[in-house]
Amino acid sequence: MAVDYTVIVVYLAGMLAMGWWGMRRAKSKSDFLVAGRRLGPAMYSGTMAAIVLGGASTIGGVGLGYQYGLSGAWMVFTIGLGLLALSVFFSARIARLKVYTVSEMLDLRYGGRAGVISGVVMWAYTLMLAVTSTIAYATIFDVLFDMNRTVAIILGGSIVVAYSTLGGMWSITLTDMVQFVVKTIGVLLLLLPIAVVKAGGFSEMKAKLPTSYFDPLGIGGETIFTYVLIYTFGMLIGQDIWQRVFTARSDKTAKWGGTVAGTYCLAYALAGAVIGTAAKVLYPKLGSPDDAFATIVKDELPVGVRGLVLAAALAAVMSTSSGALIACATVANNDIWSRLRGMTKRSSEDHDEVGGNRLFILIMGVAVIGTAIALNNVVEALTVAYNLLVGGLLVPILGGLLWKRGTVQGALASVIVGGLAVIGLMAGYGILANEPVYYGLLASLAAYVVVSLATRPTDETVLATWRERLAGRNPELASEPVPAHQ
């Protein structure tokens, strides 16, 4: 394992080096939080694919393939569909807004007063997303070094917190590009063909497994519908995803770069399911489906290649973890702390704001590591995060983009009713039940429509400003320089 260990150590050292280099570029709030809004198509596509394809998509995707066969691809497939929908229908308008958070968008659309409450919901979502990614370090480092769970979480989490704190989005962008390349080589180009060959090829896999393993809908229609509701719609509204959209150099970059990233996700989904199906042939009686990835890597790959593929798994976890961490810190600072203190809005180029955002990443990072140590169930934590996001924020965000008659009172009612309904239903039905997000979303929609129609329409001046921002025609509010490079 010495060669494999060397590969991993070099990879981790490289992540820290990228963080240090990124610190030199993060000289303003815009640089630190959205990479100066300067990413071109190649970097944008790679970093967007990196953030959405995390440990759940890699280790969990292979596990679903082990349990259900090719239909296990649906979870990651719906993530790709959500990213495609966001890129094609909404990303250009989102990029032109020149904001930093989803709550700022809501304030622009509805005329203020929606920020703190929506910020709290988004903060809870991004915190839990970062926690679930951080918990995954325990699995990977246990395979690599037979390491204690708490030590593994602290080690992996500390590296992510370090490079994220140093350079903000610039560091995360640079590390994500490396992680995207490592994942592509490790999972798609190495593990996928080796797993299929070791399992005897597709003909042998079909001979040894039930036909349900090759049924595209074998995982069940209700499960697929739930995945669409949670992950596809979740991709449309998450702060971690929007913050990447804000990094695009232009609205065309956001649209077409995101489309490439979404298509990549569809291929990654199928690859994970095939790897899991091959693992089922090789190891039919594993204790847990989530052990499939680590087992096939540990037992079937040659020295060196094994280290690279495990680095790919680590890359998947780190990319999601760092993206969720900076999103969590951005929301905590911009949408909650600053508003509660009644701070006046400063220039987006105020250099003093870099120190404040850097401090919030450090604080949120420590909170994420501590929470990850205390929690055990990754699936439950992730379900809570997405239920809150979809149940509380989907309707007011999409309503603001699509329905002129929506009002700030309707948006607030939608967030509160949807969020409380999801929490109450999870307590009644259980965290992993489908009903909380179904009924919570319906309650949120009903509250939004009824209250919006019962209250005065949004002031036309607010709507006019909103339309100007959507069109990218307000030079005073959208004046950040866009260099020709990158």
Side-chain angles (χ1 to χ4, degrees), residues 31-386:
D31 286 335
F32 194 81
L33 295 182
V34 290
R37 307 189 197 274
R38 290 184 289 188
L39 299 192
M43 290 191 74
Y44 180 85
S45 297
T47 56
M48 182 63 88
I51 188 177
V52 300
L53 296 174
S57 300
T58 304
I59 298 171
V62 171
L64 287 171
Y66 182 89
Q67 189 172 1
Y68 298 105
L70 298 185
S71 67
W74 272 105
M75 183 187 79
V76 184
F77 202 82
T78 55
I79 290 174
L81 291 177
L83 187 50
L84 284 171
L86 173 71
S87 302
V88 172
F89 298 113
F90 300 109
S91 63
R93 284 184 284 174
I94 293 170
R96 288 195 292 264
L97 288 174
K98 303 293 185 187
V99 295
Y100 292 101
T101 68
V102 174
S103 294
E104 285 182 40
M105 166 264 169
L106 290 173
D107 278 351
L108 269 174
R109 166 60 181 82
Y110 294 110
R113 295 183 293 168
V116 174
I117 294 176
S118 62
V120 169
V121 176
M122 189 63 78
W123 174 80
Y125 157 73
T126 53
L127 178 72
M128 295 308 292
L129 187 62
V131 165
T132 58
S133 300
T134 304
I135 291 173
Y137 295 128
T139 302
I140 298 170
F141 282 111
D142 178 55
V143 174
L144 288 172
F145 308 116
D146 193 25
M147 188 179 288
N148 174 271
R149 178 182 183 275
T150 299
V151 175
I153 289 173
I154 292 173
L155 175 61
S158 296
I159 292 170
V160 170
V161 171
Y163 73 68
S164 300
T165 302
L166 285 172
M169 187 60 83
W170 265 123
S171 293
I172 292 170
T173 296
L174 295 170
T175 54
D176 277 0
M177 279 305 298
V178 175
Q179 289 159 354
F180 171 73
V181 172
V182 170
K183 277 192 285 193
T184 301
I185 295 172
V187 175
L188 294 182
L189 302 183
L190 291 175
L191 183 57
L192 174 60
I194 290 173
V196 172
V197 169
K198 291 283 187 178
F202 283 103
S203 58
E204 189 70 14
M205 290 162 62
K206 286 184 176 181
K208 290 187 176 181
L209 294 174
T211 54
S212 62
Y213 268 70
F214 302 92
D215 180 357
L217 303 177
I219 198 169
E222 184 180 354
T223 299
I224 294 171
F225 178 72
T226 303
Y227 285 159
V228 169
L229 204 58
I230 293 177
Y231 296 116
T232 300
F233 285 116
M235 287 296 106
L236 297 179
I237 58 174
Q239 169 68 24
D240 51 324
I241 310 301
W242 277 41
Q243 200 156 343
R244 295 308 173 98
V245 175
F246 300 150
T247 66
R249 185 170 63 196
S250 66
D251 53 3
K252 288 184 179 179
T253 296
K255 182 175 182 177
W256 297 112
T259 301
V260 171
T263 305
Y264 178 90
C265 291
L266 303 183
Y268 200 89
L270 185 59
V274 171
I275 292 167
T277 304
K280 184 67 174 180
V281 173
L282 295 167
Y283 313 101
K285 295 183 179 180
L286 289 178
S288 167
D290 285 341
D291 293 337
F293 180 89
T295 303
I296 197 169
V297 169
K298 200 172 184 179
D299 293 351
E300 303 297 335
L301 299 185
V303 172
V305 173
R306 180 170 50 204
L308 182 60
V309 174
L310 286 171
L314 200 56
V317 175
M318 283 186 161
S319 58
T320 299
S321 181
S322 58
L325 176 59
I326 193 172
C328 179
T330 302
V331 170
N333 188 14
N334 287 22
D335 294 337
I336 301 175
W337 179 246
S338 295
R339 294 167 192 261
L340 291 178
R341 289 183 61 193
M343 294 172 63
T344 57
K345 185 177 180 182
R346 306 183 209 171
S347 167
S348 63
E349 297 298 320
D350 186 346
H351 290 204
D352 291 337
E353 291 197 45
V354 173
N357 283 294
R358 185 172 279 137
L359 177 62
F360 264 87
I361 289 181
L362 182 60
I363 293 171
M364 291 298 106
V366 172
V368 164
I369 292 172
T371 307
I373 292 171
L375 291 179
N376 283 315
N377 195 311
V378 179
V379 176
E380 287 192 357
L382 193 63
T383 301
V384 170
Y386 273 98

Side-chain angles (χ1 to χ4, degrees), residues 405-423:
R405 187 61 180 82
T407 67
V408 65
Q409 294 88 350
L412 287 170
S414 179
V415 173
I416 295 170
V417 171
L420 291 178
V422 164
I423 293 171

